[in-house]
Amino acid sequence: MKFVPTPLSPAELELQRDVRRFIAEELPADHQPGLGMGSGFDPAFSKKLAARGWVGMAVPKEFGGHARTAVDRFIVTEELLAVGAPLGAHFVADRQTAPAIVKFGSDWQREFFIPKIVAGECWFSLGMSEPDSGSDLSSVRSAARQVEGGWLLNGTKIWTSGAHRTHYFAVLCRTSPAEDKHQGLSQLIVDLRSDGVEIRPIPFLNGAHGFNEVHMSDVFVPDEMMLGEEGSGWRQVTSELAYERSGPDRFLSTFGLVKYLIAERAADGLTVEQQRAVGQLAARYWTIRQMSLSIARAIDDGGAPAVEASLVKDIGTRFEQRVIDVVRDVVEVQLRADSSSTFERLLAEAVLTGPSFTLRGGTTEVLRSIVAKGLRNV
């Protein structure tokens, strides 16, 4: 397993500067930065990004995308996450759903969904996790039976981020019985405003609403909303997860803690202990960033570094949680979500949401299993 160091080219550095100019011009002066991809839901901001060609960057031009490189998308995503920009509206559709529809979807689905996603106007959530299924997606109990013109879907999905605001989610469900639990699974694209869909909030301890439980009772899903072939859901979902495991969103969620610790406390002078902590965290940030960037470069060079991506997700999300512990060790502060201090507000939010970092997109145990199997095959 290799992570080849890769510098940015002059054109890539210019893209980085262009994104920074856009952020300086378009983020309002009273912008309240958030944590990673949960940093806010702003459809107008998503449309502005789309107008610059920074949504659907990886989608081929023949489907209405911009056919940019994985490194280009890494650069744009990294800059936006670093300032806590509001990405919640378009992020899942851009990162995950659009590539899945391009790869597995029908011509109708590509024509209907992709232009809207690329325009920042069509937003998706993920419909994978279920109550009592743990990390084993193959044990999902949501099921659909075929009826005239489509499918009748029943089941419950949980930890569905943003479902109360997005338009659709791609539901992994069982469409036929099978002895092998990885068989007989399919993906249905479900309109979250359909009859029979009930979205129940799962609030954090501070009352914030991001996660949902989505209950589906006899939801009719037309045939044209079957994503890919019936029964190929497991292969598609495992492929889809690879899109979300190695990007900057897997190590920058708590970057704002360090940034605003320095910004707000440096005027009075950081203690030696705080300076040492910041230095150590910066070194680890740079190392993980280089690993993540090398994967993007490998993808552009035609590689398929799925095992490396799993390792970066494992290291990156555990590091995001470690940042919270390190900062709390060197700063005495009362946690207050309503604090006027951006640092204190982000720290309070991070303490509440940090445990989810190693769950979403594959738990630590699942990722290490993938890495171990990959290393055995080396």
Side-chain angles (χ1 to χ4, degrees):
M1 186 181 300
K2 292 183 178 179
F3 294 90
V4 180
T6 176
L8 296 181
S9 70
E12 290 164 346
L13 289 170
E14 179 54 34
L15 173 61
Q16 186 183 64
R17 289 190 287 270
D18 196 20
V19 179
R20 290 177 180 178
R21 286 191 291 268
F22 170 84
I23 289 170
E25 294 169 359
E26 298 296 344
L27 275 186
D30 60 349
H31 166 63
Q32 294 289 314
L35 296 176
M37 51 186 159
S39 58
F41 195 97
D42 186 340
F45 187 76
S46 292
K47 288 184 180 179
K48 289 179 180 177
L49 282 172
R52 297 294 296 264
W54 294 337
V55 178
M57 294 180 72
V59 175
K61 287 187 177 180
E62 62 187 285
F63 302 122
H66 303 286
R68 301 289 291 265
T69 66
V71 170
D72 284 350
R73 187 176 184 280
F74 177 101
I75 292 167
V76 173
T77 304
E78 180 182 46
E79 294 302 319
L80 294 169
L81 289 171
V83 298
L87 308 176
H90 71 274
F91 196 77
V92 168
D94 175 52
R95 179 191 65 186
Q96 201 156 332
T97 311
I101 292 176
V102 167
K103 187 172 183 178
F104 303 112
S106 66
D107 290 342
W108 179 85
Q109 289 167 355
R110 295 187 188 110
E111 292 175 5
F112 183 79
F113 288 110
I114 296 299
K116 296 181 178 67
I117 292 174
V118 172
E121 297 174 346
C122 185
W123 317 319
F124 272 77
S125 295
L126 302 177
M128 297 184 189
S129 299
E130 294 195 357
D132 304 321
S133 286
S135 299
D136 183 9
L137 286 178
S138 63
S139 68
V140 297
R141 292 183 291 184
S142 292
R145 63 181 176 86
Q146 197 154 26
V147 296
E148 184 177 356
W151 299 81
L152 212 56
L153 175 63
N154 286 277
T156 300
K157 295 295 178 180
I158 199 168
W159 312 124
T160 311
S161 299
H164 55 303
R165 294 192 278 199
T166 55
H167 301 118
Y168 300 91
F169 72 156
V171 173
L172 180 68
C173 61
R174 190 160 296 284
T175 50
S176 64
E179 291 187 7
D180 182 343
K181 63 181 182 179
H182 298 106
Q183 305 297 319
L185 295 169
S186 302
Q187 283 185 291
L188 294 174
I189 298 175
V190 176
D191 187 333
L192 285 162
R193 297 154 296 187
S194 300
D195 291 341
V197 173
E198 181 183 0
I199 301 171
R200 305 165 179 164
I202 305 175
F204 285 106
L205 289 174
N206 65 351
H209 180 194
F211 287 131
N212 299 279
E213 181 177 272
V214 182
H215 183 66
M216 299 163 289
S217 178
D218 285 340
V219 176
F220 176 73
V221 184
D223 281 329
E224 60 264 29
M225 300 292 255
M226 170 74 73
L227 178 58
E229 298 178 1
E230 182 194 348
S232 62
W234 179 254
R235 178 175 61 86
Q236 292 174 193
V237 163
T238 51
S239 171
E240 186 179 331
L241 287 171
Y243 298 128
E244 62 159 312
R245 283 184 169 156
S246 64
D249 47 310
R250 296 310 184 190
F251 64 90
L252 284 177
S253 295
T254 49
F255 179 75
L257 298 185
V258 181
K259 177 180 178 179
Y260 286 97
L261 168 64
I262 297 170
E264 295 185 8
R265 305 295 175 96
D268 297 328
L270 297 178
T271 66
V272 172
E273 185 183 27
Q274 290 169 345
Q275 292 178 41
R276 183 181 298 116
V278 169
Q280 291 173 345
L281 291 175
R284 293 196 63 185
Y285 268 123
W286 191 251
T287 302
I288 297 171
R289 177 187 187 271
Q290 293 304 310
M291 295 172 70
S292 178
L293 180 58
S294 75
I295 290 175
R297 188 72 77 192
I299 291 172
D300 288 338
D301 291 339
V307 176
E308 289 85 347
S310 296
L311 183 61
V312 168
K313 200 270 182 182
D314 177 27
I315 293 174
T317 52
R318 285 187 297 113
F319 173 65
E320 290 176 326
Q321 294 175 333
R322 178 61 181 157
V323 169
I324 302 170
D325 295 336
V326 170
V327 168
R328 295 190 73 184
D329 283 344
V330 299
V331 178
E332 290 189 14
V333 61
Q334 185 72 32
L335 295 179
R336 288 177 47 210
D338 60 349
S339 174
S340 59
S341 158
T342 300
F343 165 70
E344 294 179 8
R345 179 179 59 79
L346 291 178
L347 180 58
E349 182 180 342
V351 169
L352 285 172
T353 61
S356 69
F357 298 162
T358 51
L359 297 177
R360 56 196 185 192
T363 64
T364 298
E365 290 74 17
V366 169
L367 296 167
R368 291 181 179 179
S369 175
I370 293 171
V371 172
K373 291 176 182 176
L375 289 174
R376 280 203 301 267
N377 293 330
V378 171

